[in-house]
Amino acid sequence: MGVTGAGKSSFISTCSGKSVKIGHNLHSCTADVEDVDFMYNKNLRVHLIDTPGFDDTNRSDVQVLQDLAHWLSGSFKYGIRLSGVVFLHRISDPRMASSARRNLLMFKKLCGEKAYQSVILGTTHWSNVSPQDGTRRERELIETDEYWGLMCKKGSRVFRYANTRESALSLIGYILKQHMTVTLDIQDEMVNKGHDIDETSAAHELNAEIIQTLKEVDKRKEAEFRAFKEQMKKERDQERQRYDAERQKHMAKVAQQEKALKEQQRRAMERMEKDKASLEEMARKQKE
């Protein structure tokens, strides 16, 4: 298991010597849970189960969980037991991205703490990072309980996968030497306890994440709506200011025109009074 691009299909192909579709970008190539078998030696056949990650580009996390739960519970019912679980992580990633956190968290819920002693935590892509940075990141993973710390304390082992068949077989060899079988929490919940998939710890975690995501989306939408309202108010205020400025300008112009008109009327009245006085003076002189 692991995120898209961690090297799951590449590991299986290198280990088994069989052709497995491998992605070289962020697009997921593992569409379904796939069983790839090979002869570890002349007497022992090993089955490697390739799985899609919870950041699959083709399906939702709910669909990925359904596929994993179907295969894990179905195989358990038919008496097939896992010898161990390998979780791969790109050591070239400078930090634990949200998709990697989600995959790791779902992995923990699928396995359960009782299965941690059968978990191999493999780091990949060492050729894409300096030894110093890789070692520092590996140490952070191991020392942080939120990441691999708790699993390591409960028996999980850390391996470096060097992208060679020898490296891959050494990892598989360690699992085989334990001579153990493991029951994952989701197998116990669905088969032994008869729970439906939506009642499992993994589903509860996924639902909690979906609910949290929806809450974050709601908060983001609310913030966007508040910003929109504030922008609208700002635009309305600006429009009102422009309107008031234009209105004041218009009123000033009207007042100026009224003042000019009154001045014209006053002058006209003065001329009329003068003309009237002149006429009266002429009439008086004619009488004389």
Side-chain angles (χ1 to χ4, degrees):
M1 297 184 181
V3 299
T4 297
K8 301 186 296 292
S9 298
S10 176
F11 174 87
I12 290 177
S13 179
T14 301
C15 192
S16 66
K18 293 186 176 181
S19 177
V20 179
K21 191 173 183 181
I22 301 171
H24 296 287
N25 50 39
L26 295 179
H27 187 80
S28 176
C29 287
T30 305
D32 300 297
V33 178
E34 184 179 0
D35 180 351
V36 180
D37 66 289
F38 73 102
M39 294 303 297
Y40 180 76
N41 55 41
K42 64 179 182 180
N43 298 316
L44 181 61
R45 182 179 298 276
V46 171
H47 292 259
L48 301 176
I49 312 304
D50 197 6
T51 67
F54 282 95
D55 56 341
D56 191 274
T57 52
N58 300 313
R59 289 169 300 173
S60 68
D61 288 349
V62 173
Q63 291 173 313
V64 171
L65 177 59
Q66 288 174 333
D67 288 347
L68 287 172
H70 176 75
W71 193 95
L72 290 169
S73 61
S75 61
F76 191 83
K77 286 179 182 177
Y78 285 101
I80 299 173
R81 298 294 182 265
L82 299 174
S83 298
V85 189
V86 179
F87 183 86
L88 297 181
H89 173 80
R90 291 187 301 258
I91 200 65
S92 56
D93 290 349
R95 61 187 61 84
M96 183 74 75
S98 59
S99 58
R101 288 174 181 268
R102 183 168 66 253
N103 271 272
L104 179 58
L105 189 57
M106 291 303 299
F107 175 76
K108 291 178 179 180
K109 292 297 181 180
L110 285 168
C111 293
E113 290 189 9
K114 292 179 181 179
Y116 285 174
Q117 62 181 343
S118 298
V119 168
I120 298 296
L121 301 167
T123 51
T124 63
H125 292 239
W126 279 91
S127 60
N128 297 329
V129 65
S130 69
Q132 294 81 7
D133 285 342
T135 300
R136 176 178 52 78
R137 293 169 189 172
E138 182 184 53
R139 185 170 58 251
E140 181 182 2
L141 290 170
I142 296 171
E143 294 177 352
T144 305
D145 283 354
E146 183 185 354
Y147 300 157
W148 293 1
L150 182 60
M151 289 190 289
C152 290
K153 291 175 183 177
K154 292 184 177 292
S156 297
R157 287 292 302 271
V158 177
F159 276 78
R160 295 182 180 183
Y161 172 53
N163 201 31
T164 64
R165 191 161 195 265
E166 180 183 4
S167 176
L169 290 177
S170 68
L171 190 155
I172 298 300
Y174 173 81
I175 295 175
L176 297 175
K177 288 177 182 178
Q178 305 309 304
H179 301 289
M180 294 174 59
T181 58
V182 57
T183 299
L184 305 187
D185 258 13
I186 196 166
Q187 294 175 317
D188 181 53
E189 290 173 322
M190 294 186 67
V191 180
N192 295 336
K193 297 178 181 178
H195 291 172
D196 292 331
I197 186 172
D198 60 343
E199 299 173 312
T200 63
S201 299
H204 288 167
E205 180 59 41
L206 188 59
N207 288 335
E209 184 176 343
I210 291 173
I211 291 171
Q212 181 62 30
T213 300
L214 290 175
K215 287 181 178 179
E216 291 175 358
V217 170
D218 286 342
K219 287 181 180 179
R220 187 165 61 251
K221 287 184 176 179
E222 184 179 348
E224 291 174 352
F225 182 67
R226 283 199 303 269
F228 174 74
K229 287 178 65 178
E230 291 173 1
Q231 181 63 26
M232 289 294 292
K233 183 179 182 299
K234 181 179 179 181
E235 291 178 358
R236 285 198 302 269
D237 291 343
Q238 291 175 344
E239 186 64 29
R240 180 172 293 279
Q241 289 174 0
R242 285 195 295 269
Y243 171 77
D244 290 344
E246 289 293 330
R247 185 171 180 273
Q248 290 176 1
K249 183 178 179 181
H250 175 71
M251 293 298 292
K253 184 177 180 180
V254 169
Q256 187 176 9
Q257 291 175 342
E258 288 180 349
K259 183 179 179 181
L261 180 60
K262 287 180 179 179
E263 180 63 21
Q264 290 176 358
Q265 290 176 342
R266 185 185 66 79
R267 291 176 180 177
M269 289 295 295
E270 287 180 352
R271 287 195 297 271
M272 289 176 61
E273 288 295 332
K274 288 181 180 179
D275 291 343
K276 181 180 178 183
S278 297
L279 291 172
E280 289 177 349
E281 179 66 19
M282 289 175 60
R284 186 180 63 77
K285 288 181 178 181
Q286 286 178 356
K287 287 180 181 180
E288 292 178 354

